[in-house]
PDB file of all heavy atoms in Angstrom:
ATOM      1  N   ARG R   1      -1.674-136.414  70.257  1.00 92.00           N
ATOM      2  CA  ARG R   1      -0.451-137.182  70.725  1.00 92.00           C
ATOM      3  C   ARG R   1      -0.276-136.937  72.281  1.00 92.00           C
ATOM      4  O   ARG R   1      -0.600-135.860  72.747  1.00 92.00           O
ATOM      5  CB  ARG R   1       0.704-136.756  69.967  1.00 92.00           C
ATOM      6  CG  ARG R   1       1.199-135.306  70.101  1.00 92.00           C
ATOM      7  CD  ARG R   1       2.267-134.948  69.074  1.00 92.00           C
ATOM      8  NE  ARG R   1       3.447-135.772  69.321  1.00 92.00           N
ATOM      9  CZ  ARG R   1       4.385-135.897  68.371  1.00 92.00           C
ATOM     10  NH1 ARG R   1       4.309-135.295  67.119  1.00 92.00           N
ATOM     11  NH2 ARG R   1       5.453-136.611  68.583  1.00 92.00           N
ATOM     12  N   ASP R   2       0.241-137.904  72.842  1.00 91.00           N
ATOM     13  CA  ASP R   2       0.655-137.857  74.307  1.00 91.00           C
ATOM     14  C   ASP R   2       2.058-138.141  74.356  1.00 91.00           C
ATOM     15  O   ASP R   2       2.493-139.304  74.217  1.00 91.00           O
ATOM     16  CB  ASP R   2      -0.220-138.831  75.067  1.00 91.00           C
ATOM     17  CG  ASP R   2       0.064-138.661  76.579  1.00 91.00           C
ATOM     18  OD1 ASP R   2       1.211-138.228  76.998  1.00 91.00           O
ATOM     19  OD2 ASP R   2      -0.765-139.032  77.369  1.00 91.00           O
ATOM     20  N   ASN R   3       2.963-137.088  74.338  1.00 88.00           N
ATOM     21  CA  ASN R   3       4.383-137.385  74.374  1.00 88.00           C
ATOM     22  C   ASN R   3       4.824-138.126  75.621  1.00 88.00           C
ATOM     23  O   ASN R   3       5.937-138.849  75.519  1.00 88.00           O
ATOM     24  CB  ASN R   3       5.139-136.057  74.184  1.00 88.00           C
ATOM     25  CG  ASN R   3       4.909-135.431  72.842  1.00 88.00           C
ATOM     26  OD1 ASN R   3       4.630-136.120  71.908  1.00 88.00           O
ATOM     27  ND2 ASN R   3       5.072-134.104  72.750  1.00 88.00           N
ATOM     28  N   GLY R   4       4.175-138.007  76.707  1.00 89.00           N
ATOM     29  CA  GLY R   4       4.546-138.685  77.875  1.00 89.00           C
ATOM     30  C   GLY R   4       4.333-140.292  77.731  1.00 89.00           C
ATOM     31  O   GLY R   4       5.011-141.025  78.438  1.00 89.00           O
ATOM     32  N   LYS R   5       3.405-140.646  76.854  1.00 93.00           N
ATOM     33  CA  LYS R   5       3.084-142.042  76.706  1.00 93.00           C
ATOM     34  C   LYS R   5       3.561-142.566  75.340  1.00 93.00           C
ATOM     35  O   LYS R   5       3.310-143.707  75.064  1.00 93.00           O
ATOM     36  CB  LYS R   5       1.553-142.298  76.793  1.00 93.00           C
ATOM     37  CG  LYS R   5       0.947-141.954  78.176  1.00 93.00           C
ATOM     38  CD  LYS R   5      -0.521-142.272  78.153  1.00 93.00           C
ATOM     39  CE  LYS R   5      -1.073-142.029  79.537  1.00 93.00           C
ATOM     40  NZ  LYS R   5      -2.567-142.328  79.554  1.00 93.00           N
ATOM     41  N   ASN R   6       4.282-141.702  74.607  1.00 93.00           N
ATOM     42  CA  ASN R   6       4.831-142.115  73.274  1.00 93.00           C
ATOM     43  C   ASN R   6       3.688-142.675  72.450  1.00 93.00           C
ATOM     44  O   ASN R   6       3.855-143.736  71.826  1.00 93.00           O
ATOM     45  CB  ASN R   6       5.898-143.102  73.408  1.00 93.00           C
ATOM     46  CG  ASN R   6       7.256-142.510  73.801  1.00 93.00           C
ATOM     47  OD1 ASN R   6       7.271-141.393  74.270  1.00 93.00           O
ATOM     48  ND2 ASN R   6       8.334-143.220  73.619  1.00 93.00           N
ATOM     49  N   THR R   7       2.586-141.993  72.470  1.00 95.00           N
ATOM     50  CA  THR R   7       1.386-142.506  71.764  1.00 95.00           C
ATOM     51  C   THR R   7       0.695-141.354  70.856  1.00 95.00           C
ATOM     52  O   THR R   7       0.638-140.241  71.418  1.00 95.00           O
ATOM     53  CB  THR R   7       0.383-143.189  72.700  1.00 95.00           C
ATOM     54  OG1 THR R   7       1.019-144.173  73.442  1.00 95.00           O
ATOM     55  CG2 THR R   7      -0.840-143.733  71.978  1.00 95.00           C
ATOM     56  N   VAL R   8       0.244-141.726  69.786  1.00 96.00           N
ATOM     57  CA  VAL R   8      -0.567-140.843  68.947  1.00 96.00           C
ATOM     58  C   VAL R   8      -1.933-141.588  68.709  1.00 96.00           C
ATOM     59  O   VAL R   8      -1.978-142.814  68.638  1.00 96.00           O
ATOM     60  CB  VAL R   8       0.153-140.596  67.598  1.00 96.00           C
ATOM     61  CG1 VAL R   8       0.362-141.765  66.786  1.00 96.00           C
ATOM     62  CG2 VAL R   8      -0.590-139.522  66.830  1.00 96.00           C
ATOM     63  N   TYR R   9      -2.957-140.733  68.619  1.00 98.00           N
ATOM     64  CA  TYR R   9      -4.351-141.274  68.572  1.00 98.00           C
ATOM     65  C   TYR R   9      -5.036-140.702  67.304  1.00 98.00           C
ATOM     66  O   TYR R   9      -4.659-139.531  66.780  1.00 98.00           O
ATOM     67  CB  TYR R   9      -5.098-140.843  69.772  1.00 98.00           C
ATOM     68  CG  TYR R   9      -4.521-141.258  71.080  1.00 98.00           C
ATOM     69  CD1 TYR R   9      -3.802-140.432  71.837  1.00 98.00           C
ATOM     70  CD2 TYR R   9      -4.692-142.547  71.567  1.00 98.00           C
ATOM     71  CE1 TYR R   9      -3.146-140.775  73.047  1.00 98.00           C
ATOM     72  CE2 TYR R   9      -4.106-142.906  72.750  1.00 98.00           C
ATOM     73  CZ  TYR R   9      -3.367-142.020  73.541  1.00 98.00           C
ATOM     74  OH  TYR R   9      -2.782-142.460  74.738  1.00 98.00           O
ATOM     75  N   LEU R  10      -6.022-141.396  66.764  1.00 98.00           N
ATOM     76  CA  LEU R  10      -6.807-140.933  65.746  1.00 98.00           C
ATOM     77  C   LEU R  10      -8.313-141.258  66.225  1.00 98.00           C
ATOM     78  O   LEU R  10      -8.730-142.362  66.191  1.00 98.00           O
ATOM     79  CB  LEU R  10      -6.513-141.495  64.447  1.00 98.00           C
ATOM     80  CG  LEU R  10      -7.312-140.988  63.324  1.00 98.00           C
ATOM     81  CD1 LEU R  10      -6.911-139.508  62.973  1.00 98.00           C
ATOM     82  CD2 LEU R  10      -7.128-141.828  62.069  1.00 98.00           C
ATOM     83  N   GLN R  11      -8.976-140.146  66.609  1.00 98.00           N
ATOM     84  CA  GLN R  11     -10.339-140.327  66.994  1.00 98.00           C
ATOM     85  C   GLN R  11     -11.218-140.172  65.720  1.00 98.00           C
ATOM     86  O   GLN R  11     -11.122-139.081  65.045  1.00 98.00           O
ATOM     87  CB  GLN R  11     -10.781-139.281  68.037  1.00 98.00           C
ATOM     88  CG  GLN R  11     -12.262-139.246  68.468  1.00 98.00           C
ATOM     89  CD  GLN R  11     -12.652-140.609  69.204  1.00 98.00           C
ATOM     90  OE1 GLN R  11     -11.929-141.085  70.050  1.00 98.00           O
ATOM     91  NE2 GLN R  11     -13.794-141.143  68.732  1.00 98.00           N
ATOM     92  N   MET R  12     -11.998-141.151  65.395  1.00 98.00           N
ATOM     93  CA  MET R  12     -12.776-141.070  64.185  1.00 98.00           C
ATOM     94  C   MET R  12     -14.291-141.148  64.486  1.00 98.00           C
ATOM     95  O   MET R  12     -14.749-142.107  65.105  1.00 98.00           O
ATOM     96  CB  MET R  12     -12.392-142.392  63.285  1.00 98.00           C
ATOM     97  CG  MET R  12     -10.898-142.410  63.020  1.00 98.00           C
ATOM     98  SD  MET R  12     -10.426-143.796  61.850  1.00 98.00           S
ATOM     99  CE  MET R  12     -10.928-145.178  62.771  1.00 98.00           C
ATOM    100  N   ASN R  13     -14.881-140.135  64.171  1.00 98.00           N
ATOM    101  CA  ASN R  13     -16.331-139.984  64.416  1.00 98.00           C
ATOM    102  C   ASN R  13     -17.146-139.868  63.077  1.00 98.00           C
ATOM    103  O   ASN R  13     -16.619-139.646  62.048  1.00 98.00           O
ATOM    104  CB  ASN R  13     -16.680-138.698  65.263  1.00 98.00           C
ATOM    105  CG  ASN R  13     -15.969-138.760  66.589  1.00 98.00           C
ATOM    106  OD1 ASN R  13     -15.829-139.794  67.205  1.00 98.00           O
ATOM    107  ND2 ASN R  13     -15.671-137.553  67.109  1.00 98.00           N
ATOM    108  N   SER R  14     -18.407-140.165  63.169  1.00 98.00           N
ATOM    109  CA  SER R  14     -19.348-140.094  61.967  1.00 98.00           C
ATOM    110  C   SER R  14     -18.708-140.869  60.807  1.00 98.00           C
ATOM    111  O   SER R  14     -18.578-140.439  59.704  1.00 98.00           O
ATOM    112  CB  SER R  14     -19.472-138.608  61.547  1.00 98.00           C
ATOM    113  OG  SER R  14     -20.073-137.859  62.640  1.00 98.00           O
ATOM    114  N   LEU R  15     -18.346-142.035  61.112  1.00 98.00           N
ATOM    115  CA  LEU R  15     -17.702-142.889  60.166  1.00 98.00           C
ATOM    116  C   LEU R  15     -18.596-143.231  58.946  1.00 98.00           C
ATOM    117  O   LEU R  15     -19.778-143.404  59.157  1.00 98.00           O
ATOM    118  CB  LEU R  15     -17.160-144.167  60.761  1.00 98.00           C
ATOM    119  CG  LEU R  15     -15.837-143.961  61.623  1.00 98.00           C
ATOM    120  CD1 LEU R  15     -15.591-145.118  62.542  1.00 98.00           C
ATOM    121  CD2 LEU R  15     -14.659-143.850  60.629  1.00 98.00           C
ATOM    122  N   LYS R  16     -17.993-143.339  57.773  1.00 98.00           N
ATOM    123  CA  LYS R  16     -18.665-143.646  56.553  1.00 98.00           C
ATOM    124  C   LYS R  16     -18.173-144.912  55.950  1.00 98.00           C
ATOM    125  O   LYS R  16     -16.962-145.233  56.184  1.00 98.00           O
ATOM    126  CB  LYS R  16     -18.549-142.432  55.536  1.00 98.00           C
ATOM    127  CG  LYS R  16     -18.953-141.096  56.119  1.00 98.00           C
ATOM    128  CD  LYS R  16     -18.625-140.026  55.118  1.00 98.00           C
ATOM    129  CE  LYS R  16     -19.025-138.633  55.584  1.00 98.00           C
ATOM    130  NZ  LYS R  16     -18.761-137.582  54.675  1.00 98.00           N
ATOM    131  N   PRO R  17     -18.900-145.588  55.117  1.00 97.00           N
ATOM    132  CA  PRO R  17     -18.403-146.731  54.511  1.00 97.00           C
ATOM    133  C   PRO R  17     -17.120-146.526  53.662  1.00 97.00           C
ATOM    134  O   PRO R  17     -16.272-147.363  53.617  1.00 97.00           O
ATOM    135  CB  PRO R  17     -19.623-147.227  53.567  1.00 97.00           C
ATOM    136  CG  PRO R  17     -20.768-146.727  54.286  1.00 97.00           C
ATOM    137  CD  PRO R  17     -20.422-145.485  54.885  1.00 97.00           C
ATOM    138  N   GLU R  18     -17.026-145.303  53.139  1.00 97.00           N
ATOM    139  CA  GLU R  18     -15.834-145.030  52.335  1.00 97.00           C
ATOM    140  C   GLU R  18     -14.641-144.808  53.173  1.00 97.00           C
ATOM    141  O   GLU R  18     -13.500-144.644  52.779  1.00 97.00           O
ATOM    142  CB  GLU R  18     -16.047-143.775  51.469  1.00 97.00           C
ATOM    143  CG  GLU R  18     -16.593-142.584  52.226  1.00 97.00           C
ATOM    144  CD  GLU R  18     -18.141-142.485  52.100  1.00 97.00           C
ATOM    145  OE1 GLU R  18     -18.833-143.517  52.200  1.00 97.00           O
ATOM    146  OE2 GLU R  18     -18.632-141.346  51.887  1.00 97.00           O
ATOM    147  N   ASP R  19     -14.733-144.842  54.559  1.00 98.00           N
ATOM    148  CA  ASP R  19     -13.580-144.708  55.450  1.00 98.00           C
ATOM    149  C   ASP R  19     -12.947-146.179  55.607  1.00 98.00           C
ATOM    150  O   ASP R  19     -11.911-146.315  56.245  1.00 98.00           O
ATOM    151  CB  ASP R  19     -13.978-144.270  56.817  1.00 98.00           C
ATOM    152  CG  ASP R  19     -14.415-142.785  56.741  1.00 98.00           C
ATOM    153  OD1 ASP R  19     -13.691-141.978  56.068  1.00 98.00           O
ATOM    154  OD2 ASP R  19     -15.377-142.441  57.396  1.00 98.00           O
ATOM    155  N   THR R  20     -13.635-147.207  55.146  1.00 98.00           N
ATOM    156  CA  THR R  20     -13.073-148.567  55.248  1.00 98.00           C
ATOM    157  C   THR R  20     -11.708-148.629  54.527  1.00 98.00           C
ATOM    158  O   THR R  20     -11.551-148.337  53.395  1.00 98.00           O
ATOM    159  CB  THR R  20     -14.115-149.492  54.654  1.00 98.00           C
ATOM    160  OG1 THR R  20     -15.300-149.533  55.309  1.00 98.00           O
ATOM    161  CG2 THR R  20     -13.524-150.901  54.581  1.00 98.00           C
ATOM    162  N   ALA R  21     -10.748-149.166  55.306  1.00 98.00           N
ATOM    163  CA  ALA R  21      -9.298-149.215  54.865  1.00 98.00           C
ATOM    164  C   ALA R  21      -8.478-149.836  55.962  1.00 98.00           C
ATOM    165  O   ALA R  21      -8.926-149.952  57.050  1.00 98.00           O
ATOM    166  CB  ALA R  21      -8.829-147.885  54.474  1.00 98.00           C
ATOM    167  N   THR R  22      -7.222-150.166  55.591  1.00 98.00           N
ATOM    168  CA  THR R  22      -6.286-150.450  56.605  1.00 98.00           C
ATOM    169  C   THR R  22      -5.587-149.066  56.961  1.00 98.00           C
ATOM    170  O   THR R  22      -5.191-148.380  56.027  1.00 98.00           O
ATOM    171  CB  THR R  22      -5.254-151.432  56.083  1.00 98.00           C
ATOM    172  OG1 THR R  22      -5.901-152.660  55.715  1.00 98.00           O
ATOM    173  CG2 THR R  22      -4.196-151.727  57.069  1.00 98.00           C
ATOM    174  N   TYR R  23      -5.558-148.879  58.168  1.00 98.00           N
ATOM    175  CA  TYR R  23      -5.004-147.576  58.673  1.00 98.00           C
ATOM    176  C   TYR R  23      -3.532-147.794  59.245  1.00 98.00           C
ATOM    177  O   TYR R  23      -3.329-148.720  60.030  1.00 98.00           O
ATOM    178  CB  TYR R  23      -5.840-146.947  59.770  1.00 98.00           C
ATOM    179  CG  TYR R  23      -7.139-146.321  59.251  1.00 98.00           C
ATOM    180  CD1 TYR R  23      -8.115-147.097  58.587  1.00 98.00           C
ATOM    181  CD2 TYR R  23      -7.218-144.925  59.206  1.00 98.00           C
ATOM    182  CE1 TYR R  23      -9.241-146.523  58.050  1.00 98.00           C
ATOM    183  CE2 TYR R  23      -8.417-144.350  58.639  1.00 98.00           C
ATOM    184  CZ  TYR R  23      -9.413-145.101  58.120  1.00 98.00           C
ATOM    185  OH  TYR R  23     -10.450-144.471  57.563  1.00 98.00           O
ATOM    186  N   TYR R  24      -2.679-146.966  58.819  1.00 98.00           N
ATOM    187  CA  TYR R  24      -1.263-147.138  59.224  1.00 98.00           C
ATOM    188  C   TYR R  24      -0.797-145.788  59.907  1.00 98.00           C
ATOM    189  O   TYR R  24      -1.135-144.628  59.534  1.00 98.00           O
ATOM    190  CB  TYR R  24      -0.369-147.207  57.952  1.00 98.00           C
ATOM    191  CG  TYR R  24      -0.689-148.443  57.136  1.00 98.00           C
ATOM    192  CD1 TYR R  24      -1.519-148.401  56.127  1.00 98.00           C
ATOM    193  CD2 TYR R  24       0.009-149.674  57.427  1.00 98.00           C
ATOM    194  CE1 TYR R  24      -1.780-149.568  55.337  1.00 98.00           C
ATOM    195  CE2 TYR R  24      -0.279-150.788  56.631  1.00 98.00           C
ATOM    196  CZ  TYR R  24      -1.091-150.769  55.695  1.00 98.00           C
ATOM    197  OH  TYR R  24      -1.386-151.965  54.900  1.00 98.00           O
ATOM    198  N   CYS R  25      -0.093-146.151  60.967  1.00 98.00           N
ATOM    199  CA  CYS R  25       0.657-145.020  61.698  1.00 98.00           C
ATOM    200  C   CYS R  25       2.039-144.859  61.050  1.00 98.00           C
ATOM    201  O   CYS R  25       2.560-145.862  60.718  1.00 98.00           O
ATOM    202  CB  CYS R  25       0.695-145.442  63.170  1.00 98.00           C
ATOM    203  SG  CYS R  25       1.625-144.296  64.175  1.00 98.00           S
ATOM    204  N   ALA R  26       2.440-143.687  61.061  1.00 97.00           N
ATOM    205  CA  ALA R  26       3.812-143.375  60.437  1.00 97.00           C
ATOM    206  C   ALA R  26       4.494-142.220  61.169  1.00 97.00           C
ATOM    207  O   ALA R  26       3.824-141.429  61.876  1.00 97.00           O
ATOM    208  CB  ALA R  26       3.687-143.116  58.918  1.00 97.00           C
ATOM    209  N   ALA R  27       5.798-142.305  61.009  1.00 96.00           N
ATOM    210  CA  ALA R  27       6.679-141.235  61.782  1.00 96.00           C
ATOM    211  C   ALA R  27       7.831-140.787  60.933  1.00 96.00           C
ATOM    212  O   ALA R  27       8.341-141.483  60.101  1.00 96.00           O
ATOM    213  CB  ALA R  27       7.230-141.921  63.100  1.00 96.00           C
ATOM    214  N   VAL R  28       8.154-139.469  61.090  1.00 94.00           N
ATOM    215  CA  VAL R  28       9.332-139.004  60.494  1.00 94.00           C
ATOM    216  C   VAL R  28      10.029-138.140  61.539  1.00 94.00           C
ATOM    217  O   VAL R  28       9.333-137.455  62.241  1.00 94.00           O
ATOM    218  CB  VAL R  28       8.992-138.097  59.237  1.00 94.00           C
ATOM    219  CG1 VAL R  28       7.886-137.103  59.504  1.00 94.00           C
ATOM    220  CG2 VAL R  28      10.116-137.436  58.592  1.00 94.00           C
ATOM    221  N   ASP R  29      11.375-138.327  61.583  1.00 91.00           N
ATOM    222  CA  ASP R  29      12.090-137.729  62.643  1.00 91.00           C
ATOM    223  C   ASP R  29      12.531-136.360  62.426  1.00 91.00           C
ATOM    224  O   ASP R  29      13.696-135.920  62.615  1.00 91.00           O
ATOM    225  CB  ASP R  29      13.361-138.637  62.837  1.00 91.00           C
ATOM    226  CG  ASP R  29      14.302-138.714  61.696  1.00 91.00           C
ATOM    227  OD1 ASP R  29      13.864-138.258  60.555  1.00 91.00           O
ATOM    228  OD2 ASP R  29      15.388-139.192  61.751  1.00 91.00           O
ATOM    229  N   ARG R  30      11.530-135.423  62.201  1.00 89.00           N
ATOM    230  CA  ARG R  30      11.760-134.027  62.077  1.00 89.00           C
ATOM    231  C   ARG R  30      10.390-133.355  62.012  1.00 89.00           C
ATOM    232  O   ARG R  30       9.376-133.982  61.819  1.00 89.00           O
ATOM    233  CB  ARG R  30      12.593-133.735  60.802  1.00 89.00           C
ATOM    234  CG  ARG R  30      11.914-134.177  59.471  1.00 89.00           C
ATOM    235  CD  ARG R  30      12.842-133.926  58.229  1.00 89.00           C
ATOM    236  NE  ARG R  30      12.225-134.618  57.037  1.00 89.00           N
ATOM    237  CZ  ARG R  30      11.427-134.008  56.226  1.00 89.00           C
ATOM    238  NH1 ARG R  30      10.965-132.772  56.470  1.00 89.00           N
ATOM    239  NH2 ARG R  30      11.016-134.627  55.127  1.00 89.00           N
ATOM    240  N   ALA R  31      10.448-132.068  62.081  1.00 90.00           N
ATOM    241  CA  ALA R  31       9.195-131.275  61.943  1.00 90.00           C
ATOM    242  C   ALA R  31       8.890-131.338  60.448  1.00 90.00           C
ATOM    243  O   ALA R  31       9.645-130.951  59.639  1.00 90.00           O
ATOM    244  CB  ALA R  31       9.399-129.882  62.414  1.00 90.00           C
ATOM    245  N   TYR R  32       7.718-131.828  60.205  1.00 92.00           N
ATOM    246  CA  TYR R  32       7.245-131.970  58.818  1.00 92.00           C
ATOM    247  C   TYR R  32       5.761-131.556  58.756  1.00 92.00           C
ATOM    248  O   TYR R  32       4.949-131.843  59.485  1.00 92.00           O
ATOM    249  CB  TYR R  32       7.376-133.454  58.378  1.00 92.00           C
ATOM    250  CG  TYR R  32       6.731-133.763  56.974  1.00 92.00           C
ATOM    251  CD1 TYR R  32       7.466-133.311  55.887  1.00 92.00           C
ATOM    252  CD2 TYR R  32       5.690-134.496  56.792  1.00 92.00           C
ATOM    253  CE1 TYR R  32       6.997-133.506  54.624  1.00 92.00           C
ATOM    254  CE2 TYR R  32       5.129-134.769  55.552  1.00 92.00           C
ATOM    255  CZ  TYR R  32       5.859-134.301  54.422  1.00 92.00           C
ATOM    256  OH  TYR R  32       5.381-134.593  53.132  1.00 92.00           O
ATOM    257  N   TYR R  33       5.462-130.724  57.677  1.00 91.00           N
ATOM    258  CA  TYR R  33       4.171-130.124  57.584  1.00 91.00           C
ATOM    259  C   TYR R  33       3.425-130.579  56.227  1.00 91.00           C
ATOM    260  O   TYR R  33       2.555-129.871  55.781  1.00 91.00           O
ATOM    261  CB  TYR R  33       4.320-128.617  57.649  1.00 91.00           C
ATOM    262  CG  TYR R  33       4.814-128.205  58.985  1.00 91.00           C
ATOM    263  CD1 TYR R  33       6.209-127.978  59.228  1.00 91.00           C
ATOM    264  CD2 TYR R  33       3.924-128.014  60.095  1.00 91.00           C
ATOM    265  CE1 TYR R  33       6.677-127.574  60.465  1.00 91.00           C
ATOM    266  CE2 TYR R  33       4.457-127.650  61.329  1.00 91.00           C
ATOM    267  CZ  TYR R  33       5.760-127.438  61.490  1.00 91.00           C
ATOM    268  OH  TYR R  33       6.248-127.035  62.725  1.00 91.00           O
ATOM    269  N   GLY R  34       3.925-131.634  55.667  1.00 92.00           N
ATOM    270  CA  GLY R  34       3.322-132.074  54.419  1.00 92.00           C
ATOM    271  C   GLY R  34       2.428-133.263  54.583  1.00 92.00           C
ATOM    272  O   GLY R  34       2.148-133.701  55.693  1.00 92.00           O
ATOM    273  N   SER R  35       2.122-133.917  53.385  1.00 95.00           N
ATOM    274  CA  SER R  35       1.178-135.053  53.494  1.00 95.00           C
ATOM    275  C   SER R  35       1.654-136.230  52.575  1.00 95.00           C
ATOM    276  O   SER R  35       0.859-137.091  52.253  1.00 95.00           O
ATOM    277  CB  SER R  35      -0.141-134.526  53.061  1.00 95.00           C
ATOM    278  OG  SER R  35      -0.120-134.053  51.684  1.00 95.00           O
ATOM    279  N   SER R  36       2.930-136.168  52.200  1.00 95.00           N
ATOM    280  CA  SER R  36       3.479-137.227  51.362  1.00 95.00           C
ATOM    281  C   SER R  36       3.851-138.443  52.191  1.00 95.00           C
ATOM    282  O   SER R  36       4.693-138.335  53.034  1.00 95.00           O
ATOM    283  CB  SER R  36       4.616-136.667  50.588  1.00 95.00           C
ATOM    284  OG  SER R  36       5.324-137.704  49.894  1.00 95.00           O
ATOM    285  N   TRP R  37       3.331-139.605  51.810  1.00 95.00           N
ATOM    286  CA  TRP R  37       3.741-140.799  52.643  1.00 95.00           C
ATOM    287  C   TRP R  37       5.150-141.119  52.402  1.00 95.00           C
ATOM    288  O   TRP R  37       5.842-141.737  53.230  1.00 95.00           O
ATOM    289  CB  TRP R  37       2.819-141.960  52.289  1.00 95.00           C
ATOM    290  CG  TRP R  37       2.963-142.489  50.910  1.00 95.00           C
ATOM    291  CD1 TRP R  37       2.208-142.216  49.835  1.00 95.00           C
ATOM    292  CD2 TRP R  37       3.891-143.470  50.461  1.00 95.00           C
ATOM    293  NE1 TRP R  37       2.550-142.958  48.744  1.00 95.00           N
ATOM    294  CE2 TRP R  37       3.638-143.763  49.065  1.00 95.00           C
ATOM    295  CE3 TRP R  37       4.871-144.168  51.063  1.00 95.00           C
ATOM    296  CZ2 TRP R  37       4.332-144.646  48.366  1.00 95.00           C
ATOM    297  CZ3 TRP R  37       5.663-145.124  50.375  1.00 95.00           C
ATOM    298  CH2 TRP R  37       5.388-145.390  48.983  1.00 95.00           C
ATOM    299  N   GLN R  38       5.731-140.753  51.232  1.00 95.00           N
ATOM    300  CA  GLN R  38       7.163-141.049  51.010  1.00 95.00           C
ATOM    301  C   GLN R  38       8.051-140.366  52.034  1.00 95.00           C
ATOM    302  O   GLN R  38       9.304-140.772  52.135  1.00 95.00           O
ATOM    303  CB  GLN R  38       7.548-140.704  49.526  1.00 95.00           C
ATOM    304  CG  GLN R  38       6.872-141.482  48.501  1.00 95.00           C
ATOM    305  CD  GLN R  38       5.652-140.900  47.921  1.00 95.00           C
ATOM    306  OE1 GLN R  38       4.892-140.148  48.604  1.00 95.00           O
ATOM    307  NE2 GLN R  38       5.350-141.227  46.691  1.00 95.00           N
TER     308      GLN R  38
END
């Protein structure tokens, strides 16, 4: 993330066919350390 640019990045290397999907960016307005999309 670049807080100065309000941007988050995902660098994806060694991509596999099983990585095929629609990728979504998401935000939660607190410190969160889990993995639940809800």
